[in-house]
Amino acid sequence: MVDRSSPPTGPGRPPLSAASLTLRLTGIAVVVAALAGAFAYVNGTLDPQRLTPKALVNVLEKNNGVHPGFRRNHAKGVCVIGHFESSSQAREYSSAQVFSEARTPVVGRFALPAGNPYAPDNSVPIRSLALRFTQANGQQWRTGMNSMPVFPVGTPEAFYQLQQAQSPDPATGKPNPAAVPAFFGSHPEAAPFLAWIKTAKPSASYATETYNSVNAFYLVNAAGQRQAVRWSMTPVAQDAAGGTAPEGGDFLEKDLVQRLSAGPLRWQLNITLANPGDPVNDASKAWPDGRKVLNAGTLVLESTQPQLNGECRDINYDPLVLPSGIEGSDDPLLAARSAGYARSYLRRTSEVKQLPNAKQESQQ
């Protein structure tokens, strides 16, 4: 499957750019704004209120500020280059070449959630990892994962309402402090996420995090048999328990560069198989413990590149760009993320702004 929203790169395409804006993530707004990094809703034709991609991207911009040339979600990040080494364990479940070839090249991106490219690294407890696997047959697998175990709500409509609850009041310029608690009070499905967020702390390193698909997908084998799954990238780092985030705004990329200077970093791709009856269309619900887990292989990251001009800049990490052998579930958030990312991509690639130093620099 090809991402048709991504135009070819080259000297003829104008570079992306950035604009300065003050930090706005404080208190509960930090956590709520961070959720915007998980997806953006798109398919307005499925919703009776016609929630459109434009409407949701607009509310994300209202809450995070407009930063021309940056992604509307996961705005602050760093490119990474590496490969995936497959094991034999996923081959009977999926015909995807990524699980049968010894090695598949990968271009990825670590990021903070939400749309503020100047947010301090210790402002939110969530870290994100997006990956593009390019198979030898030309097909691609793109996935966007987050360090949270579940999503707070199960529908795009509820997520949009959550964003509205934390939007600034035009009269005061600040969110209504009662709006977010009222939202969660009327959405009991958010209880698992809220239980996690109460104890979650910003980590000191991207390398020590486990990154979860959160949404469910299907593996499909050569016989057409389908198995519902979720996956996680689990760190192999010796200090995988992580550490407390230091003071300051920009330690994550520096830590990553330092670690990679000593050698590659590795994550194990763990694929959890659903049992009959496990919810596959609701990312707010965790699956019970005791499910079978496949060790599908090892992600090996070898180097970083600046997001300003690295290979990840022009990749739309649409989670529904999937190769044969992997299919999306009917989770409504998946379709929402896919189209929302496309809307964000079109906006950021159309924005060109002259920086103060008169240089044109790209920002993705």
Side-chain angles (χ1 to χ4, degrees), residues 213-284:
S213 69
V214 182
N215 303 109
F217 295 79
Y218 287 98
L219 298 185
V220 185
N221 65 17
Q225 297 171 315
R226 302 168 83 233
Q227 169 65 55
V229 300
R230 288 171 173 167
W231 53 73
S232 300
M233 285 290 182
T234 303
V236 181
Q238 294 298 312
D239 59 341
T244 303
E247 297 297 325
D250 297 298
F251 54 84
L252 286 172
E253 183 172 348
K254 294 175 184 177
D255 170 83
L256 186 65
V257 171
Q258 181 178 2
R259 287 173 182 263
L260 287 171
S261 69
L265 296 172
R266 291 175 169 82
W267 283 258
Q268 181 173 301
L269 174 57
N270 293 323
I271 299 180
T272 301
L273 309 186
N275 281 4
D278 287 342
V280 296
N281 62 353
D282 190 339
S284 70

Side-chain angles (χ1 to χ4, degrees), residues 13 28 49 68 103 144 161 220:
R13 188 178 61 79
I28 186 65
Q49 282 84 40
R103 178 177 291 206
Q161 293 164 11
V220 185

